[in-house]
C-alpha cells in the first residue's frame, strides 16, 4: 500500500518553547517598534515566518559535526570538508567561504561592477540589488512576463526572458555588462523556480557574448526539486544530479548557506576563473578573513558541509515543498489571493488583490503584515513598495510591481499544527479585511529602508 500523507522526515529531539502573547501585547510591541516588524523582539512573536534564512533546525549529524570543527586559522580540516561538499555539487574550481550570502555578493560586485555598468538577473534579491547599486552600477530584472502576474499558474515563473536578454545585451553593449545572474529559486518573484531549459538557454546566450554567468544559488535544492517534478526528462534523476547539471552551465555562484545549506550562518562564492578568484580572495582577507575560513568558525563550516548533503535528500525536499503547498491550499480555499503556484520556501500573499481598498502609496502589504502580527502574533515580511518602491526627491514614489506579504518557512522547524494555526489567522484577517487601513512612512534611511523605516497606521 502506497500511503499518500507526506510526513515530516524527522523526529524532534530538542525543542524550543515559544512565548504566548496577547493582542494587547502585540499592539504595545508594534507601537514600540514603530510598526516595523523587523523591530520586534523574537520573544514577542508566536509563529515567526519573517524569513527562512538561518532560522531552520539543524540535524543531529550537523550538531555532531560541529564538535569536530577544526579552528585552525589557516588550512582548517573543516574547510576542506566544506570545499569538497561545495565542489561535489557545483563542480566549481575555487570555493571561497563567506559569513553569509551578501558578503559573497559584496566581494564579487566590488570587483566586477563599476558606475555605469548593468548587472542582469531574473529578479535581484534586495541585498544583491543594494550591493550592485552601492558601487554605482544598475541592477536590471529580466524575468519572463508571466513572472509579473501573481495569480497566473506557470511551472517555472522564475525564468529569464531570453529574447529580452539578447535585446538588452544589444542595447547596453556587452562591454557594459560584467555579469549575468539567475536567482534560483527566484525569491523576489515569489520563490518561483527556473527551469533547466532556461538555465541552459541563458548560459548559451551569455557564452555567445563572452559574458560570465553566475547563479544566486541560495535555494538551489528547492529549484532542483521543482525541475525533477515539473520538467520533462528529470523525473528519474536525483536532486544531486539535477543540481550538478544546473551548476554545470554556470561560471560561478553566490550562496547563502543560511537557506539550502541548512545552517544558521554561512555562505560562499564559488567560481572557475583563476584571476577573478585571486582578486576575490584578496578582498576576502581584507574584510572577512583568511580564505580557509572567510569569517566563519570551523564548526560553522562543518554544519554547512553536512547541511549541503542533507538538503538534497528526496524525502526532505518532498516534505519541504509540500508544507508550503499545504498552507497555499488552505489559503486559496479561504478565498485569499496568493502567488500561484506556491513557491519553494514561502507563501506569498497578494496584498494588492486582498486589500483593494488600500492604494499602493499606503503600502497594502505592510498593512497586511502588521494585521497578521496584531491579530495572530505571526511575523511575515512585506515584499512590495516599502522594499522595492523608488522614492523621488519631490516626495513621490514609483511603486513596486507587486505588493506581497511573504510567509517564509524556516526549515524543519514548524509542524502541521503551526501551519493550521497560520491558516486560521489568515482566514480571520480575510473576514475583517475591510477594517484594515494603510500606513504612512514617518522616517526612512537612504538604503534598504524596509529594515528600519518607521510607520504610522492611517
Ligand atoms: N540572494 C537571495 C535570493 C536571498 O534570498 C538572500 C537572502 C540573499 C541573496 C542574501 O543572503 O542573507 O545570507 O546575506 N535572503 C533572506 C530572505 C534574507 O529572507 O529571503 P544572506
Amino acid at each position: 500500500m502506497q500511503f499518500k500523507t507526506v510526513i515530516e522526515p524527522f523526529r524532534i529531539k530538542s525543542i524550543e518553547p515559544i512565548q504566548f502573547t496577547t493582542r494587547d501585547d502585540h499592539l504595545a510591541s508594534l507601537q514600540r517598534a514603530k510598526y516595523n516588524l523587523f523591530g520586534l523582539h523574537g520573544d514577542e512573536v508566536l509563529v515567526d515566518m519573517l524569513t527562512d534564512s538561518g532560522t531552520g533546525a539543524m540535524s543531529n549529524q550537523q550538531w555532531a559535526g560541529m564538535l569536530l570543527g577544526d579552528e585552525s586559522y589557516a588550512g582548517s580540516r573543516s574547510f576542506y570538508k566544506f570545499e569538497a561538499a561545495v565542489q561535489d555539487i557545483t563542480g566549481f574550481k575555487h570555493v571561497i567561504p563567506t559569513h553569509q550570502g551578501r558578503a559573497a555578493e559584496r566581494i564579487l560586485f566590488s570587483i566586477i561592477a563599476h558606475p555605469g555598468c548593468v548587472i542582469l538577473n531574473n529578479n535581484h534579491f534586495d541585498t544583491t540589488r543594494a550591493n550592485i547599486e552601492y558601487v554605482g552600477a544598475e541592477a536590471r530584472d529580466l524575468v519572463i512576463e508571466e513572472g509579473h502576474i501573481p495569480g497566473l499558474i506557470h511551472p517555472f515563473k522564475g525564468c529569464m526572458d531570453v529574447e529580452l536578454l539578447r535585446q538588452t545585451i544589444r542595447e547596453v553593449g556587452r562591454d557594459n555588462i560584467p555579469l549575468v545572474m539567475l536567482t534560483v529559486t527566484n525569491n523576489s518573484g515569489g520563490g518561483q523556480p527556473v527551469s533547466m531549459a532556461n538555465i541552459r538557454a541563458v548560459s548559451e546566450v551569455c557564452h555567445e557574448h563572452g559574458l560570465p554567468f553566475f547563479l544566486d544559488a541560495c535555494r538551489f535544492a528547492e529549484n532542483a526539486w521543482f525541475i525533477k517534478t515539473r520538467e520533462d526528462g528529470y523525473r528519474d534523476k536525483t536532486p544531486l544530479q539535477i543540481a550538478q547539471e544546473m551548476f554545470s552551465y554556470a561560471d560561478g555562484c553566490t550562496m547563502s548557506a543560511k537557506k539550502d545549506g541548512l545552517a544558521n550562518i554561512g555562505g560562499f562564492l564559488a567560481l572557475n576563473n583563476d584571476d577573478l578568484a585571486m582578486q576575490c580572495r584578496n578582498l576576502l582577507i581584507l574584510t572577512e578573513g583568511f580564505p580557509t575560513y572567510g569569517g566563519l568558525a570551523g564548526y560553522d563550516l562543518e554544519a554547512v558541509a553536512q547541511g549541503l548533503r542533507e538538503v538534497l535528500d528526496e524525502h526532505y525536499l518532498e516534505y519541504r515543498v509540500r508544507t508550503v503547498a499545504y498552507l497555499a491550499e488552505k489559503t486559496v480555499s479561504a478565498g485569499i489571493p496568493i502567488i500561484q503556484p506556491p513557491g519553494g520556501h514561502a507563501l506569498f500573499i497578494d496584498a494588492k488583490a486582498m486589500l483593494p481598498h488600500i492604494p499602493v502609496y499606503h503600502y497594502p502589504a505592510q498593512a497586511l503584515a502588521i494585521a497578521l502580527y496584531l491579530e495572530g502574533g505571526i511575523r511575515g515580511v512585506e515584499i512590495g513598495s516599502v522594499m522595492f518602491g523608488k522614492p523621488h526627491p519631490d516626495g513621490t514614489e514609483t511603486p513596486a510591481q507587486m505588493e506581497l506579504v511573504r510567509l517564509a518557512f524556516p526549515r524543519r522547524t514548524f509542524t502541521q499544527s503551526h501551519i493550521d494555526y497560520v491558516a486560521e489567522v489568515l482566514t480571520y484577517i480575510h473576514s475583517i479585511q475591510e477594517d484594515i487601513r494603510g500606513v504612512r512612512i514617518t522616517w526612512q534611511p537612504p538604503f534598504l529602508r524596509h529594515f528600519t523605516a518607521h510607520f504610522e497606521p492611517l
Side-chain angles (χ1 to χ4, degrees), residues 50-53 100-103 105 125 127-128 183 185 187 216 218-219 256 258-259 266 345 406:
L50 181 67
T51 177
D52 63 321
S53 181
Q100 58 184 84
R102 70 197 70 185
E105 293 164 3
F125 181 66
T127 59
T128 323
T183 303
T185 57
N187 186 5
D216 175 338
C218 298
R219 300 179 181 83
S256 167
K258 301 173 73 173
K259 285 86 170 173
H345 69 295
R406 184 187 76 173

PDB file of all heavy atoms in Angstrom, residues 50-53 100-103 105 125 127-128 183 185 187 216 218-219 256 258-259 266 345 406, ligand 1:
ATOM      1  N   LEU A  50       9.228  35.389   9.354  1.00  0.00           N
ATOM      2  CA  LEU A  50       9.908  36.540   8.754  1.00  0.00           C
ATOM      3  C   LEU A  50      10.832  36.081   7.639  1.00  0.00           C
ATOM      4  O   LEU A  50      10.923  36.698   6.593  1.00  0.00           O
ATOM      5  CB  LEU A  50      10.721  37.259   9.838  1.00  0.00           C
ATOM      6  CG  LEU A  50      11.490  38.503   9.408  1.00  0.00           C
ATOM      7  CD1 LEU A  50      10.551  39.630   9.023  1.00  0.00           C
ATOM      8  CD2 LEU A  50      12.431  38.969  10.516  1.00  0.00           C
ATOM      9  N   THR A  51      11.533  35.003   7.887  1.00  0.00           N
ATOM     10  CA  THR A  51      12.496  34.527   6.889  1.00  0.00           C
ATOM     11  C   THR A  51      12.771  33.040   7.080  1.00  0.00           C
ATOM     12  O   THR A  51      12.567  32.491   8.172  1.00  0.00           O
ATOM     13  CB  THR A  51      13.819  35.319   6.992  1.00  0.00           C
ATOM     14  OG1 THR A  51      14.755  34.786   6.045  1.00  0.00           O
ATOM     15  CG2 THR A  51      14.436  35.253   8.380  1.00  0.00           C
ATOM     16  N   ASP A  52      13.240  32.438   6.013  1.00  0.00           N
ATOM     17  CA  ASP A  52      13.718  31.052   6.072  1.00  0.00           C
ATOM     18  C   ASP A  52      15.245  31.059   6.147  1.00  0.00           C
ATOM     19  O   ASP A  52      15.886  30.050   5.881  1.00  0.00           O
ATOM     20  CB  ASP A  52      13.273  30.291   4.818  1.00  0.00           C
ATOM     21  CG  ASP A  52      13.881  30.881   3.552  1.00  0.00           C
ATOM     22  OD1 ASP A  52      13.984  32.115   3.438  1.00  0.00           O
ATOM     23  OD2 ASP A  52      14.274  30.110   2.653  1.00  0.00           O
ATOM     24  N   SER A  53      15.825  32.205   6.464  1.00  0.00           N
ATOM     25  CA  SER A  53      17.273  32.367   6.375  1.00  0.00           C
ATOM     26  C   SER A  53      17.930  32.201   7.733  1.00  0.00           C
ATOM     27  O   SER A  53      17.788  33.071   8.609  1.00  0.00           O
ATOM     28  CB  SER A  53      17.582  33.753   5.820  1.00  0.00           C
ATOM     29  OG  SER A  53      18.967  33.930   5.695  1.00  0.00           O
ATOM     30  N   GLN A 100      28.031  35.121   5.076  1.00  0.00           N
ATOM     31  CA  GLN A 100      26.695  34.852   4.541  1.00  0.00           C
ATOM     32  C   GLN A 100      26.645  35.279   3.089  1.00  0.00           C
ATOM     33  O   GLN A 100      27.657  35.701   2.528  1.00  0.00           O
ATOM     34  CB  GLN A 100      25.586  35.469   5.398  1.00  0.00           C
ATOM     35  CG  GLN A 100      25.612  36.952   5.622  1.00  0.00           C
ATOM     36  CD  GLN A 100      24.494  37.375   6.580  1.00  0.00           C
ATOM     37  OE1 GLN A 100      24.658  37.313   7.783  1.00  0.00           O
ATOM     38  NE2 GLN A 100      23.359  37.803   6.044  1.00  0.00           N
ATOM     39  N   GLY A 101      25.464  35.194   2.473  1.00  0.00           N
ATOM     40  CA  GLY A 101      25.359  35.428   1.035  1.00  0.00           C
ATOM     41  C   GLY A 101      25.781  36.822   0.610  1.00  0.00           C
ATOM     42  O   GLY A 101      26.492  37.008  -0.378  1.00  0.00           O
ATOM     43  N   ARG A 102      25.334  37.824   1.363  1.00  0.00           N
ATOM     44  CA  ARG A 102      25.606  39.198   0.928  1.00  0.00           C
ATOM     45  C   ARG A 102      27.084  39.535   0.966  1.00  0.00           C
ATOM     46  O   ARG A 102      27.524  40.452   0.270  1.00  0.00           O
ATOM     47  CB  ARG A 102      24.751  40.180   1.729  1.00  0.00           C
ATOM     48  CG  ARG A 102      25.125  40.320   3.163  1.00  0.00           C
ATOM     49  CD  ARG A 102      24.014  40.955   3.967  1.00  0.00           C
ATOM     50  NE  ARG A 102      22.862  40.049   4.097  1.00  0.00           N
ATOM     51  CZ  ARG A 102      21.719  40.383   4.666  1.00  0.00           C
ATOM     52  NH1 ARG A 102      21.538  41.596   5.150  1.00  0.00           N
ATOM     53  NH2 ARG A 102      20.738  39.504   4.772  1.00  0.00           N
ATOM     54  N   ALA A 103      27.854  38.832   1.787  1.00  0.00           N
ATOM     55  CA  ALA A 103      29.303  39.076   1.818  1.00  0.00           C
ATOM     56  C   ALA A 103      29.913  38.578   0.503  1.00  0.00           C
ATOM     57  O   ALA A 103      30.806  39.223  -0.062  1.00  0.00           O
ATOM     58  CB  ALA A 103      29.923  38.355   3.006  1.00  0.00           C
ATOM     59  N   GLU A 105      28.274  38.511  -2.280  1.00  0.00           N
ATOM     60  CA  GLU A 105      27.819  39.495  -3.286  1.00  0.00           C
ATOM     61  C   GLU A 105      28.696  40.745  -3.239  1.00  0.00           C
ATOM     62  O   GLU A 105      29.107  41.269  -4.273  1.00  0.00           O
ATOM     63  CB  GLU A 105      26.374  39.918  -2.989  1.00  0.00           C
ATOM     64  CG  GLU A 105      25.372  38.798  -3.179  1.00  0.00           C
ATOM     65  CD  GLU A 105      24.022  39.106  -2.524  1.00  0.00           C
ATOM     66  OE1 GLU A 105      23.837  40.215  -1.967  1.00  0.00           O
ATOM     67  OE2 GLU A 105      23.158  38.221  -2.559  1.00  0.00           O
ATOM     68  N   PHE A 125      17.619  39.835  -5.665  1.00  0.00           N
ATOM     69  CA  PHE A 125      17.187  39.919  -4.269  1.00  0.00           C
ATOM     70  C   PHE A 125      17.623  41.289  -3.730  1.00  0.00           C
ATOM     71  O   PHE A 125      18.512  41.918  -4.292  1.00  0.00           O
ATOM     72  CB  PHE A 125      17.805  38.775  -3.456  1.00  0.00           C
ATOM     73  CG  PHE A 125      17.376  38.818  -2.018  1.00  0.00           C
ATOM     74  CD1 PHE A 125      16.050  38.599  -1.677  1.00  0.00           C
ATOM     75  CD2 PHE A 125      18.273  39.122  -1.011  1.00  0.00           C
ATOM     76  CE1 PHE A 125      15.640  38.677  -0.349  1.00  0.00           C
ATOM     77  CE2 PHE A 125      17.872  39.197   0.308  1.00  0.00           C
ATOM     78  CZ  PHE A 125      16.552  38.978   0.641  1.00  0.00           C
ATOM     79  N   THR A 127      19.427  42.442  -1.171  1.00  0.00           N
ATOM     80  CA  THR A 127      20.834  42.712  -0.825  1.00  0.00           C
ATOM     81  C   THR A 127      21.705  42.692  -2.085  1.00  0.00           C
ATOM     82  O   THR A 127      22.701  43.418  -2.167  1.00  0.00           O
ATOM     83  CB  THR A 127      21.395  41.649   0.149  1.00  0.00           C
ATOM     84  OG1 THR A 127      21.301  40.351  -0.449  1.00  0.00           O
ATOM     85  CG2 THR A 127      20.663  41.661   1.476  1.00  0.00           C
ATOM     86  N   THR A 128      21.325  41.866  -3.047  1.00  0.00           N
ATOM     87  CA  THR A 128      22.086  41.789  -4.302  1.00  0.00           C
ATOM     88  C   THR A 128      21.967  43.128  -5.024  1.00  0.00           C
ATOM     89  O   THR A 128      22.963  43.728  -5.438  1.00  0.00           O
ATOM     90  CB  THR A 128      21.530  40.656  -5.198  1.00  0.00           C
ATOM     91  OG1 THR A 128      21.137  39.567  -4.384  1.00  0.00           O
ATOM     92  CG2 THR A 128      22.549  40.207  -6.197  1.00  0.00           C
ATOM     93  N   THR A 183      18.682  33.869 -10.271  1.00  0.00           N
ATOM     94  CA  THR A 183      18.434  33.573  -8.862  1.00  0.00           C
ATOM     95  C   THR A 183      17.521  32.354  -8.793  1.00  0.00           C
ATOM     96  O   THR A 183      16.407  32.374  -9.319  1.00  0.00           O
ATOM     97  CB  THR A 183      17.781  34.791  -8.182  1.00  0.00           C
ATOM     98  OG1 THR A 183      18.647  35.911  -8.371  1.00  0.00           O
ATOM     99  CG2 THR A 183      17.578  34.561  -6.704  1.00  0.00           C
ATOM    100  N   THR A 185      15.849  29.491  -6.203  1.00  0.00           N
ATOM    101  CA  THR A 185      14.638  29.937  -6.867  1.00  0.00           C
ATOM    102  C   THR A 185      14.561  31.461  -6.779  1.00  0.00           C
ATOM    103  O   THR A 185      15.296  32.075  -6.016  1.00  0.00           O
ATOM    104  CB  THR A 185      13.387  29.357  -6.159  1.00  0.00           C
ATOM    105  OG1 THR A 185      13.431  29.763  -4.768  1.00  0.00           O
ATOM    106  CG2 THR A 185      13.355  27.851  -6.192  1.00  0.00           C
ATOM    107  N   ASN A 187      13.463  34.392  -5.399  1.00  0.00           N
ATOM    108  CA  ASN A 187      12.858  34.827  -4.140  1.00  0.00           C
ATOM    109  C   ASN A 187      11.942  36.033  -4.327  1.00  0.00           C
ATOM    110  O   ASN A 187      10.758  35.982  -3.983  1.00  0.00           O
ATOM    111  CB  ASN A 187      13.983  35.135  -3.133  1.00  0.00           C
ATOM    112  CG  ASN A 187      13.481  35.466  -1.747  1.00  0.00           C
ATOM    113  OD1 ASN A 187      12.288  35.383  -1.459  1.00  0.00           O
ATOM    114  ND2 ASN A 187      14.379  35.837  -0.873  1.00  0.00           N
ATOM    115  N   ASP A 216      22.675  32.769  -8.392  1.00  0.00           N
ATOM    116  CA  ASP A 216      22.475  33.091  -6.976  1.00  0.00           C
ATOM    117  C   ASP A 216      21.776  31.840  -6.448  1.00  0.00           C
ATOM    118  O   ASP A 216      20.589  31.611  -6.694  1.00  0.00           O
ATOM    119  CB  ASP A 216      21.600  34.344  -6.835  1.00  0.00           C
ATOM    120  CG  ASP A 216      21.252  34.652  -5.382  1.00  0.00           C
ATOM    121  OD1 ASP A 216      21.318  33.729  -4.541  1.00  0.00           O
ATOM    122  OD2 ASP A 216      20.885  35.800  -5.084  1.00  0.00           O
ATOM    123  N   CYS A 218      21.087  30.358  -3.492  1.00  0.00           N
ATOM    124  CA  CYS A 218      20.573  30.182  -2.120  1.00  0.00           C
ATOM    125  C   CYS A 218      19.622  29.002  -1.957  1.00  0.00           C
ATOM    126  O   CYS A 218      19.677  28.277  -0.992  1.00  0.00           O
ATOM    127  CB  CYS A 218      19.810  31.420  -1.676  1.00  0.00           C
ATOM    128  SG  CYS A 218      20.803  32.876  -1.610  1.00  0.00           S
ATOM    129  N   ARG A 219      18.733  28.828  -2.938  1.00  0.00           N
ATOM    130  CA  ARG A 219      17.710  27.773  -2.820  1.00  0.00           C
ATOM    131  C   ARG A 219      17.821  26.797  -3.995  1.00  0.00           C
ATOM    132  O   ARG A 219      16.822  26.400  -4.599  1.00  0.00           O
ATOM    133  CB  ARG A 219      16.326  28.422  -2.709  1.00  0.00           C
ATOM    134  CG  ARG A 219      16.218  29.333  -1.476  1.00  0.00           C
ATOM    135  CD  ARG A 219      14.882  30.029  -1.316  1.00  0.00           C
ATOM    136  NE  ARG A 219      14.868  30.903  -0.144  1.00  0.00           N
ATOM    137  CZ  ARG A 219      15.338  32.150  -0.102  1.00  0.00           C
ATOM    138  NH1 ARG A 219      15.863  32.697  -1.179  1.00  0.00           N
ATOM    139  NH2 ARG A 219      15.294  32.851   1.012  1.00  0.00           N
ATOM    140  N   SER A 256      24.012  31.758  -0.063  1.00  0.00           N
ATOM    141  CA  SER A 256      23.760  31.937   1.359  1.00  0.00           C
ATOM    142  C   SER A 256      23.457  30.553   1.922  1.00  0.00           C
ATOM    143  O   SER A 256      22.403  29.979   1.632  1.00  0.00           O
ATOM    144  CB  SER A 256      22.566  32.865   1.579  1.00  0.00           C
ATOM    145  OG  SER A 256      22.160  32.788   2.931  1.00  0.00           O
ATOM    146  N   LYS A 258      22.578  29.879   4.696  1.00  0.00           N
ATOM    147  CA  LYS A 258      21.507  30.006   5.687  1.00  0.00           C
ATOM    148  C   LYS A 258      20.183  29.496   5.119  1.00  0.00           C
ATOM    149  O   LYS A 258      19.197  29.384   5.831  1.00  0.00           O
ATOM    150  CB  LYS A 258      21.363  31.471   6.095  1.00  0.00           C
ATOM    151  CG  LYS A 258      22.652  32.037   6.684  1.00  0.00           C
ATOM    152  CD  LYS A 258      22.569  33.528   6.923  1.00  0.00           C
ATOM    153  CE  LYS A 258      21.680  33.827   8.128  1.00  0.00           C
ATOM    154  NZ  LYS A 258      21.739  35.274   8.465  1.00  0.00           N
ATOM    155  N   LYS A 259      20.156  29.236   3.821  1.00  0.00           N
ATOM    156  CA  LYS A 259      18.943  28.679   3.208  1.00  0.00           C
ATOM    157  C   LYS A 259      19.217  27.190   2.944  1.00  0.00           C
ATOM    158  O   LYS A 259      19.158  26.382   3.852  1.00  0.00           O
ATOM    159  CB  LYS A 259      18.595  29.441   1.917  1.00  0.00           C
ATOM    160  CG  LYS A 259      17.983  30.812   2.157  1.00  0.00           C
ATOM    161  CD  LYS A 259      19.003  31.861   2.332  1.00  0.00           C
ATOM    162  CE  LYS A 259      18.449  33.256   2.329  1.00  0.00           C
ATOM    163  NZ  LYS A 259      19.486  34.239   2.675  1.00  0.00           N
ATOM    164  N   GLY A 266      26.527  31.293   7.339  1.00  0.00           N
ATOM    165  CA  GLY A 266      27.483  30.804   6.349  1.00  0.00           C
ATOM    166  C   GLY A 266      27.081  31.133   4.927  1.00  0.00           C
ATOM    167  O   GLY A 266      25.920  31.460   4.647  1.00  0.00           O
ATOM    168  N   HIS A 345       9.896  28.101  -0.713  1.00  0.00           N
ATOM    169  CA  HIS A 345      10.296  28.409   0.665  1.00  0.00           C
ATOM    170  C   HIS A 345       9.290  29.275   1.383  1.00  0.00           C
ATOM    171  O   HIS A 345       9.474  29.587   2.559  1.00  0.00           O
ATOM    172  CB  HIS A 345      11.656  29.101   0.679  1.00  0.00           C
ATOM    173  CG  HIS A 345      11.638  30.485   0.096  1.00  0.00           C
ATOM    174  ND1 HIS A 345      11.357  30.738  -1.213  1.00  0.00           N
ATOM    175  CD2 HIS A 345      11.858  31.704   0.666  1.00  0.00           C
ATOM    176  CE1 HIS A 345      11.417  32.039  -1.439  1.00  0.00           C
ATOM    177  NE2 HIS A 345      11.707  32.650  -0.316  1.00  0.00           N
ATOM    178  N   ARG A 406       5.226  37.984   2.428  1.00  0.00           N
ATOM    179  CA  ARG A 406       5.835  36.659   2.364  1.00  0.00           C
ATOM    180  C   ARG A 406       5.798  36.002   3.737  1.00  0.00           C
ATOM    181  O   ARG A 406       6.225  36.597   4.723  1.00  0.00           O
ATOM    182  CB  ARG A 406       7.278  36.780   1.897  1.00  0.00           C
ATOM    183  CG  ARG A 406       7.938  35.427   1.717  1.00  0.00           C
ATOM    184  CD  ARG A 406       9.408  35.562   1.421  1.00  0.00           C
ATOM    185  NE  ARG A 406      10.155  35.900   2.614  1.00  0.00           N
ATOM    186  CZ  ARG A 406      11.496  35.959   2.691  1.00  0.00           C
ATOM    187  NH1 ARG A 406      12.205  35.747   1.607  1.00  0.00           N
ATOM    188  NH2 ARG A 406      12.098  36.261   3.808  1.00  0.00           N
TER     189      ARG A 406
HETATM  190  N1  LIG B   1      20.079  36.054  -2.507  1.00  0.00           N
HETATM  191  C1  LIG B   1      18.836  35.635  -2.231  1.00  0.00           C
HETATM  192  C2  LIG B   1      17.975  35.095  -3.332  1.00  0.00           C
HETATM  193  C3  LIG B   1      18.356  35.682  -0.917  1.00  0.00           C
HETATM  194  O1  LIG B   1      17.123  35.256  -0.667  1.00  0.00           O
HETATM  195  C4  LIG B   1      19.200  36.186   0.099  1.00  0.00           C
HETATM  196  C5  LIG B   1      18.730  36.295   1.470  1.00  0.00           C
HETATM  197  C6  LIG B   1      20.494  36.603  -0.232  1.00  0.00           C
HETATM  198  C7  LIG B   1      20.896  36.519  -1.549  1.00  0.00           C
HETATM  199  C8  LIG B   1      21.451  37.150   0.794  1.00  0.00           C
HETATM  200  O2  LIG B   1      21.893  36.152   1.644  1.00  0.00           O
HETATM  201  O3  LIG B   1      21.008  36.822   3.902  1.00  0.00           O
HETATM  202  O4  LIG B   1      22.897  35.211   3.679  1.00  0.00           O
HETATM  203  O5  LIG B   1      23.243  37.588   3.174  1.00  0.00           O
HETATM  204  N2  LIG B   1      17.510  36.216   1.767  1.00  0.00           N
HETATM  205  C9  LIG B   1      16.936  36.262   3.102  1.00  0.00           C
HETATM  206  C10 LIG B   1      15.445  36.253   2.968  1.00  0.00           C
HETATM  207  C11 LIG B   1      17.449  37.324   3.978  1.00  0.00           C
HETATM  208  O6  LIG B   1      14.768  36.475   3.999  1.00  0.00           O
HETATM  209  O7  LIG B   1      14.922  36.000   1.894  1.00  0.00           O
HETATM  210  P1  LIG B   1      22.274  36.465   3.193  1.00  0.00           P
END
